[in-house]
Amino acid sequence: MLSYVGLSLLVLLSAMEAATVERVEYDYYKYHTMPEITKWMDQVEKDNPDVVTIVEYGQTYEKRVIRLLKIGLNTGEKKKAIWMDCGIHAREWIAPAFCQYFVRQILQAHKTDPKMQEMIKNMDFYVTPVLNMDGYIYSWKDDTTRLWRKNRSPGPPDCNSYGTDLNRNFDANWGTLGVSFNCSSETYCGSQAVSEPEAQAVTYFVGSRKDDFLCFLTIHSYGQLLLVPYGHPNFTAANYNELMGVGLGAADAIRSVHGKNYTVGTSPDVLYANSGSSRDWARFQGIPYSYTFELRDKGTFGFQLPEDQIQPTCEEAYSGALHIITYAHDKTFNGAVATAAATLWTMLLTVGVTGTTLM
Amino acid sequence: MSLRIIVVLAVLTGISGSPSVTVGPEADSADTRAHPNSVPETVEKTEILGQQEVIVQEKAEENVMATGELNINHYPARRAAHVVQHYLNTLYGSPYRLLQLHKIHRGNAEDVSDSERKYELEISVQELIGNTTGKCSAEILFPRGERQRSPQVQASCEELLKINTKAQEEALYQQYKMNSGLLSAQNLPDSYGHIEPDMKPFWHLSIVAASFVMLNESSENTLYNMAQVANITQLATENDQLKFDCHILLHEMVSQEIIHWKLLFTWSPPDGVKVLQMEQLPHRHEGEIPPNTN
């Protein structure tokens, strides 16, 4: 009897060991193909059912389903939100790598860090690891396609090139500055504002929830910059000074990790004027903290950032993003003091309304 | 009793800012079209936040070509400094020495005539392989007007050549001089940013050769970097110079275009890099719709 139990236990243990050996840890410090990222998203949802849901919110030109990871504690109430998208430009491979790292970090921090627990309770994080899926897949095709930027829609009938620059296609001063109407140009802004299905997906999803969003972070490379709205030099955001202050704080946080300098400013000031960007569109919608992150490096490797730089780049960018997110959170949720005040006001109003005397 | 409650509430409200828990997003009606006359700030202030100096200027000045003292974080100084980087690499770059702009300390720009604009910069430059930094003063003259001419650069740097690369360069030169097995390589770096250690010196050499093109092609409206060496082939050694034929991809930041160039260049330790021929290749549309399809 005992030996039978012992043998069964042994068999069970070996089976379990085999099962865990079977499941390899996801390598966040390597570049991943679209199918790998898709599979990873499914796994993250499966592993964290209480906080993670996959949301399908659109389609690419080639009819792929655009999905995001919604991360947050389900409180049954309408929540404030943080938006992050990566890979709007296909060749910027470090960006999707960062989105994946970001998800891993906040889920890990959620287990142990009270601040992250508070933020995941108060807010939902919407993270799109690869927005321009068609372009990203195309950039993996072979050596000649690695530097593809745009999406893969065919362009107007008389055009013999593919692709619209999704970050010039949003409805934000569309088609005015820093764009080309030549369909073979890398900054071709499309046939009209939001002509592209990928831009439509973001516009509809975020647009229909715009009052919920506190932050809109769009991740790119390269250049080591934090860009604040607007891309058009004639427009200044109402909270420009605040955006700069928080951005500079984020740059300080980034520098403290590995010593890398990120320059903060509007695009027309520190890079070039442009229009139709997702960041500008988000700010025009009223989303207060809207930033473009341009990750490493400064041109030595450019878009083809070596894999041994994925980890340090993600670590510093996470620090920067967290600074902005924490600021937005803390400004919105003033903690116990606000709750106490609210409770007492409610009490006083009730007393007033019912005419009860307190004496 | 009720008075005390009101006082407590008033204090609490004062701390938390409002009776409600959440604050809505900023109203957009406040976004302004910046008009020179309506800009509130008329005084130049310098705030030092962390290591980035923030110079607050009248927006109007920025819309006109930046003249006078330049904001070191803004693109005019950054683009001009990048030109200096290319210039320095044409002079000092080698298989074991590559220079990169590290920081801009000061910048100034002015029109010197109808057809020329002069930038004066104080910058720090980093040598990437040995990881040393040095200061440089540079003057860049951008030609204005119809004809596309190259910028003229002058620079003097302190101790840029700190690390002695002579031995390594000589060893590489001797190894490849003998024409026994001419070098041939593709995709430096590859899609993952990887370069075989043996090929790194030739990637550096290609960047130096590319710097001649990037310097020539630069203007106030461009920012060039070499994206990749598509291929590099060693030709027979000539006049004691190693000779190479290469196809490079440049990334121009402002247009975001990838521009293909073919270069024929030579190198030896005493003579450095000399570009014999450079030719821009036609705009490649990877994934162009092929003709005669539905």
Side-chain angles (χ1 to χ4, degrees), chain A residues 13-299:
Chain A
L13 280 171
S14 330
M16 275 176 67
E17 199 196 321
T20 43
V21 165
E22 218 57 59
R23 207 186 351 128
V24 182
E25 271 280 316
Y26 191 75
D27 192 342
Y28 289 88
Y29 309 133
K30 287 247 173 303
Y31 294 117
H32 289 280
T33 63
M34 197 64 233
E36 286 169 357
I37 297 172
T38 301
K39 194 163 148 218
W40 167 82
M41 288 176 78
D42 292 335
Q43 192 65 51
V44 168
E45 186 189 42
K46 206 150 120 204
D47 290 344
N48 301 275
D50 50 337
V51 278
V52 179
T53 318
I54 290 178
V55 178
E56 301 181 347
Y57 69 100
Q59 253 189 2
T60 66
Y61 175 78
E62 290 174 352
K63 302 273 182 281
R64 295 185 172 92
V65 178
I66 307 175
R67 308 187 311 157
L68 57 76
L69 290 163
K70 178 185 175 186
I71 302 166
L73 232 38
N74 195 347
T75 60
E77 288 165 16
K78 199 156 177 289
K79 293 172 71 180
K80 288 296 174 185
I82 306 288
W83 174 269
M84 182 182 288
D85 66 74
C86 296
I88 197 172
H89 289 138
R91 58 195 181 196
E92 300 164 10
W93 284 14
I94 187 61
F98 173 65
C99 265
Q100 293 165 70
Y101 175 90
F102 179 82
V103 164
R104 195 277 299 268
Q105 276 311 104
I106 64 174
L107 287 173
Q108 224 167 52
H110 164 62
K111 293 185 185 136
T112 56
D113 172 30
K115 186 64 186 176
M116 185 57 70
Q117 284 166 354
E118 182 193 356
M119 294 206 288
I120 283 189
K121 179 171 70 79
N122 290 334
M123 306 184 300
D124 287 330
F125 292 76
Y126 293 86
V127 182
T128 303
V130 185
L131 177 58
N132 180 9
M133 297 165 73
D134 296 348
Y136 186 72
I137 288 166
Y138 187 72
S139 73
W140 276 82
K141 181 163 173 272
D142 59 52
D143 294 330
T144 70
T145 64
R146 176 61 178 82
L147 294 173
W148 190 259
R149 167 181 169 89
K150 303 185 284 183
N151 75 349
R152 293 293 296 165
S153 66
D158 57 340
C159 182
N160 65 348
S161 300
Y162 281 91
T164 294
D165 185 344
L166 293 174
N167 208 35
R168 302 287 185 277
N169 189 243
F170 283 79
D171 189 8
N173 301 124
W174 179 84
T176 54
L177 275 187
V179 296
S180 171
F181 287 97
N182 183 334
C183 64
S184 54
S185 161
E186 296 285 15
T187 54
Y188 174 60
C189 54
S191 53
Q192 60 186 28
V194 215
S195 57
E196 303 307 299
E198 297 88 354
Q200 288 165 15
V202 176
T203 300
Y204 183 71
F205 187 84
V206 176
S208 59
R209 298 166 174 75
K210 60 181 179 167
D211 293 337
D212 299 342
F213 281 98
L214 299 174
C215 286
F216 186 96
L217 306 179
T218 180
I219 315 295
H220 294 243
S221 77
Y222 59 92
Q224 293 178 207
L225 307 168
L226 290 180
L227 302 174
V228 308
Y230 291 101
H232 197 297
N234 291 359
F235 289 80
T236 305
N239 63 338
Y240 169 77
N241 288 335
E242 186 187 29
L243 283 166
M244 283 301 292
V246 178
L248 288 164
D252 286 343
I254 289 173
R255 191 181 308 111
S256 69
V257 183
H258 297 296
K260 292 295 182 189
N261 284 310
Y262 280 57
T263 305
V264 184
T266 65
S267 196
D269 280 347
V270 304
L271 184 61
Y272 46 58
N274 67 356
S275 58
S277 69
S278 61
R279 170 205 67 230
D280 283 359
W281 173 80
R283 188 61 196 86
F284 276 130
Q285 295 302 301
I287 299 170
Y289 308 105
S290 193
Y291 291 86
T292 306
F293 277 60
E294 295 280 356
L295 302 180
R296 287 194 197 183
D297 59 14
K298 300 217 285 198

Side-chain angles (χ1 to χ4, degrees), chain A residues 160 162 222 230 234 269 300, chain B residues 31 34 75 100 251 257 287-288:
Chain A
N160 65 348
Y162 281 91
Y222 59 92
Y230 291 101
N234 291 359
D269 280 347
T300 310
Chain B
D31 284 345
Y75 76 74
Q100 186 182 68
H251 173 236
E257 295 293 334
E288 234 171 53

